[in-house]
Amino acid sequence: MASACVDDFGPPIAGPSFVVRARGAPDDDDFPIGDDFIGGGRQAIIPQDLAEETPFQQLIRHWMNERHAPDILPGQEMLLGRLLDHIRKQTSDVELLRADPDSSEEEHFRIMLVQTEVERVKFVIRSYVRTRLHKIEKYAKFISVNPEIHEKLSKAELDHARRYARLVDYHFNQSVLQSLPEQQRSAEENVPFMPPMTAEPDKLRPVFAHALQDCPPMRLPDGTMSEMQKGQIVLVPYYVVEHLLLRGEVELV
Amino acid sequence: MALPPSLRTSITPLELELVASEQLVEIVPLVSMERTAFISGAYGPLRPPTKCKVPLWMASNLKLKKKCHMVPPAWLNVDFLQERLLRETTDPGFSEMPFRFAEVAKILLDVAPDDLQNPDRIRMLLKDIREARQAKSREGLSKLDHNELMLPNLCAMEINEIRPFFVRGMNVLTHLTREPVPVDAMDQM
């Protein structure tokens, strides 16, 4: 994942504002839609590979990963910040253009397209954040007692997890636990043959992993090693591909 | 505000469609538009009748307003699909299809049937291919164990379709074959 984070510091992809860029269009050609869209040496009729990932495509990939992974993945704050800035810029440009009574029909039309895209990006951002929120609330207790997970969360997310865990604890205490005999009050006891009382991410849950590149060998549950070539799709328990997912070598589909 | 329960177990086909709409397609614009910067990059300029590549969501938006014709991808025609169907029905393996073919084909058939040649026939062929592949993926269930399952050439929509059942099945197998707890550890409990 380290390399992905570094990429996040790169220059913003779509220059100043869409209006400014559009005016200087012929010269401002720094983001061509590659002719390699059809995908390098592969059978040209089936384009499976897309060119370089744009920030929005990165977000879509992280969103899909987050939706399918049983565990919480490292938050993509840099990426989110960048996209939110971009949304803000596009929205303010749209408002400026709207306020201009002289804008032509073509401009109205462009405004509509830009707004449509902004809504699409917003939808994905919202769904991404809500997916994380769901996991945070589900595993609130587990997160608040396991410091190693904290670095995967943003500050706001961590605060929320702690507050939520406290509230749930308080509620359990007030409504039931305090009226039980002393030795049955703990919410952390491990009864043999019963699932643990604190909900934990189930890393045994199988996921569908799609190799984005040739991957180093991974150890399967029965101890054998297996290698994935680029483009392969495999159904394995989550913990088998976890390290590959964190390094961005596979995506979940 | 957390994710609604209906979306927690899996992604929905509509969401897959949203993801697929980010792919680029060719259009023949009927209106002109200057090059415009979007969040996912700059597209245009549109100069009828020059072909131009734009994301699928933009193409369908333009198409719905009758401002462009869509150029179907090279695989979305009767000849290619007929050949694929033949392969699907004679070869035991899955043949290679674009990863999001189902979503893209659906959008094009919904929005721009008039830009396709013989859309009804295409629809039938896609349905036949889908059923042939579905039968194979169901057969694949017998190969499921607690270890891994290779799924060569399976596509996004098909994975989503088999997901709930395969994940449950593999989960059960995992729990059945998990390392038994050593005896003395049992004594201590």
Side-chain angles (χ1 to χ4, degrees), chain B residues 4 9 27 52 65 75 103 105 131 148 158-160 166 171 174 179 188-189:
Chain B
T9 43
I27 58 165
C52 182
K65 298 194 168 62
W75 50 268
E103 298 93 313
E131 277 166 10
E148 67 163 346
E158 293 158 348
I159 290 175
N160 208 45
F166 275 54
N171 221 345
T174 303
E179 294 271 302
Q188 281 165 16
M189 285 202 285

Side-chain angles (χ1 to χ4, degrees), chain B residues 116-156:
Chain B
L116 301 171
Q117 276 183 349
N118 209 343
D120 292 332
R121 182 95 186 94
I122 290 180
R123 217 181 283 265
M124 293 282 285
L125 281 167
L126 282 169
K127 193 162 184 290
D128 291 346
I129 291 176
R130 185 191 118 93
E131 277 166 10
R133 290 170 71 98
Q134 203 176 30
K136 287 181 201 173
S137 57
R138 284 185 184 156
E139 233 163 68
L141 190 60
S142 62
K143 298 201 195 85
L144 192 69
D145 61 12
H146 71 287
N147 230 1
E148 67 163 346
L149 183 65
M150 283 284 183
L151 303 155
N153 291 336
L154 216 63
C155 294

Side-chain angles (χ1 to χ4, degrees), chain A residues 18 21-22 29 31 33 37 42-43 48 67 106 109-110 117 120 130 134 221-222 233 235 253, chain B residues 1 7-8 15 18 22 24 34-35 37-40 62 67 96-97 99 147 149 151 163:
Chain A
F18 81 95
R21 279 176 65 99
D29 223 4
F31 197 77
I33 298 151
F37 165 61
R42 295 181 72 101
Q43 214 182 334
Q48 304 274 27
R67 283 289 288 273
E106 189 210 316
F109 183 60
R110 264 154 66 187
E117 191 194 32
R120 285 170 53 83
R130 290 179 75 181
H134 160 60
D222 66 357
I233 299 171
L235 176 68
V253 287
Chain B
M1 262 318 279
L7 300 181
R8 286 177 194 172
E15 285 168 317
L18 180 117
E22 206 52 30
L24 299 181
E34 292 303 317
R35 188 169 174 82
F38 290 89
I39 293 174
S40 51
L62 292 172
K67 289 186 197 290
E96 196 188 3
M97 289 292 277
F99 188 60
N147 230 1
L149 183 65
L151 303 155
R163 187 191 320 276

Side-chain angles (χ1 to χ4, degrees), chain A residues 35-62:
Chain A
D35 291 326
D36 50 346
F37 165 61
I38 297 297
R42 295 181 72 101
Q43 214 182 334
I45 209 159
I46 300 173
Q48 304 274 27
D49 297 317
L50 286 174
E52 190 76 1
E53 262 189 332
T54 66
F56 183 43
Q57 281 165 342
Q58 286 176 28
L59 180 70
I60 289 182
R61 179 162 56 83
H62 289 299

Side-chain angles (χ1 to χ4, degrees), chain A residues 1-12:
Chain A
M1 203 45 61
S3 63
C5 288
V6 174
D7 286 343
D8 287 344
F9 290 92

Side-chain angles (χ1 to χ4, degrees), chain B residues 7 11 18 26 30-31 33 45 47 61 66 88-90 97 127-128 131 136 145-146 160 169 182-183:
Chain B
L7 300 181
I11 215 101
L18 180 117
E26 271 193 318
L30 300 176
V31 288
M33 185 179 93
R47 299 255 182 277
N61 205 311
K66 303 206 185 340
E88 289 296 348
T89 43
T90 48
M97 289 292 277
K127 193 162 184 290
D128 291 346
E131 277 166 10
K136 287 181 201 173
D145 61 12
H146 71 287
N160 208 45
V183 181

